[in-house]
Amino acid sequence: MIKFFQSWLDKKKSPSTVQETSDIIPKHVAIIMDGNGRWARKLGLPRVVGHRNGMMAIKRVTIAADEMGISILTLYAFSTENWKRPKDEVDYLMSLPQEFLALELEELIQKNVQVRMMGHTEGVPSSTLEALREAIVKTKNNTGLILNFAFNYGGRHEIVESVKKVAALVQSGEMSIDDITEDTIQSHLISNDLPDPDLLIRTGKELRLSNFMLWQTAYSELWFTDIYWPAFKEEHLREAVASYGQRTRRYGGLS
Ligand code: FPP
C-alpha cells in the first residue's frame, strides 16, 4: 500500500491552527504552479532554470499570502504523474524542497509559518523527505500561515486510498455501508484536517485541474491566468483574491 507522508512522519495531528480571516480574503488558497518550462524556453534557458525560478516565486508568494491574511497556501509542487518526465528533470524537482528549505527555513520559522506536506513518500529521495521532515517538525507549533506542499500528490489516488480505509472498516464490521457519508470519505483524505480550498489558482494558460485536490475543490472558486509561474508576483495574487472577493458562493443554493 502506498505510504503517505503523514504516516511516514508518524506525526500526531496538532489542533487546527487556522486563523479566522474576513469573508473577502480566502482562507485557503491552492495553486497549480504551471508554466516553468515555457517560461524558461521563452528566455532560451533550460527547463530546470524555470523550475528554480519557480522555487523563488514560492518565497515571494508565501510572504504575500501571509501579509494578505490568507491562512493556508497549498502548492502543487510535484504530481504523481510528473514521474513520466525525463530523469534529469525529475531528479532536479526532487532536490528543490531541500534547496528551498536550506535557503528559507529560518525565515519561515521567523514568520511563524507552519510547513506541511501532503503526498506519498514512495520514490522520493530520503534526503528530500528528511529536509521536509525537519521543516515540519521545526514549524509544527507555528500558528501563522500554513504552507502545504502537495508533493508526489495525486487527487484520484488520495480518494482511492480513503475509500480503501473506509472499506476496511466495513470489512472488519466497525462500520456499516449505510453509515458512509461524504464526511467519512473526507475524514480519511490526507488533508483531512484542512478546510477545502476557497480559491484555486492555475498559472500558465492551461485550463484544467490535472488531478489536483479533486475531492476538495468541488466548490472552490477557480482563477486562471496566462502568467507563467516563475513570473507570478504579489500583484497577481492580489488580482486573484480581488476576483474571489467579487464572487457569490452559493454551493448549489440560491444567493
Ligand atoms: C509545472 O510546470 C511545474 C512543475 C511540474 C513543478 C513545480 C515546481 C516548482 C514551482 C518548484 C517546487 C519547489 C519546491 C520548494 C517544492 P511545467 O514544468 O509543466 O511547465 P510547462 O508546462 O511550461 O512545461
Side-chain angles (χ1 to χ4, degrees):
M1 192 207 277
I2 294 287
K3 210 158 48 160
F4 285 111
F5 188 71
Q6 202 66 19
S7 54
W8 176 83
L9 187 62
D10 197 24
K11 174 176 166 273
K12 284 204 181 68
K13 295 227 156 55
S14 55
S16 175
T17 53
V18 177
Q19 294 166 351
E20 289 304 317
T21 53
S22 82
D23 286 348
I24 306 298
I25 301 291
K27 182 182 277 189
H28 186 174
V29 175
I31 307 183
I32 300 174
M33 307 180 291
D34 195 18
N36 292 351
R38 281 164 288 157
W39 179 88
R41 194 173 59 215
K42 217 173 81 180
L43 297 172
L45 297 167
R47 289 179 60 81
V48 290
V49 178
H51 293 315
R52 183 142 206 306
N53 281 269
M55 181 191 84
M56 302 314 288
I58 289 179
K59 180 184 180 178
R60 59 174 184 266
V61 172
T62 300
I63 292 170
D66 190 29
E67 287 172 0
M68 289 166 69
I70 291 164
S71 301
I72 307 156
L73 183 64
T74 295
L75 301 176
Y76 202 12
F78 191 90
S79 78
T80 43
E81 288 71 38
N82 286 153
W83 293 105
K84 294 176 198 156
R85 296 185 178 210
K87 187 177 180 307
D88 284 358
E89 184 170 340
V90 169
D91 288 349
Y92 189 72
L93 286 169
M94 284 290 147
S95 75
L96 282 181
Q98 211 177 338
E99 186 174 354
F100 176 76
L101 292 165
L103 289 171
E104 310 300 346
L105 182 57
E106 280 316 308
E107 194 174 336
L108 293 174
I109 291 170
Q110 276 167 25
K111 289 197 179 296
N112 197 22
V113 170
Q114 186 186 120
V115 177
R116 295 198 190 189
M117 175 195 164
M118 61 174 191
H120 318 299
T121 55
E122 269 70 12
V124 179
S126 55
S127 53
T128 308
L129 293 173
E130 277 306 322
L132 284 160
R133 188 196 67 86
E134 184 195 349
I136 290 166
V137 169
K138 284 191 173 166
T139 63
K140 72 170 192 253
N141 294 321
N142 288 356
T143 55
L145 176 86
I146 293 175
L147 176 59
N148 182 31
F149 287 107
F151 195 79
N152 200 17
Y153 171 86
R156 285 187 176 179
H157 203 277
E158 182 188 24
I159 295 169
V160 168
E161 288 299 310
S162 170
V163 169
K164 278 187 187 169
K165 287 179 196 151
V166 176
L169 292 174
V170 172
Q171 197 173 37
S172 67
E174 290 168 73
M175 181 172 234
S176 97
I177 287 182
D178 293 338
D179 291 337
I180 298 173
T181 64
E182 290 186 9
D183 283 347
T184 319
I185 304 296
Q186 192 280 333
S187 67
H188 289 87
L189 296 175
I190 44 176
S191 62
N192 60 7
D193 61 339
L194 295 179
D196 292 344
D198 301 294
L199 173 63
L200 172 68
I201 295 172
R202 181 173 185 140
T203 64
K205 284 189 185 161
E206 310 293 358
L207 306 176
R208 54 180 172 252
L209 291 180
S210 301
N211 202 17
F212 185 50
M213 300 188 90
L214 298 179
W215 179 278
Q216 300 91 332
T217 54
Y219 281 99
S220 301
E221 296 296 325
L222 309 180
W223 194 81
F224 297 95
T225 175
D226 288 356
I227 305 280
Y228 296 139
W229 175 249
F232 193 83
K233 298 196 173 61
E234 177 174 351
E235 70 206 62
H236 305 117
L237 182 62
R238 288 194 179 277
E239 210 183 306
V241 167
S243 165
Y244 173 85
Q246 307 281 315
R247 317 243 184 125
T248 306
R249 303 185 74 186
R250 290 191 291 275
Y251 300 95
L254 300 176
S255 54

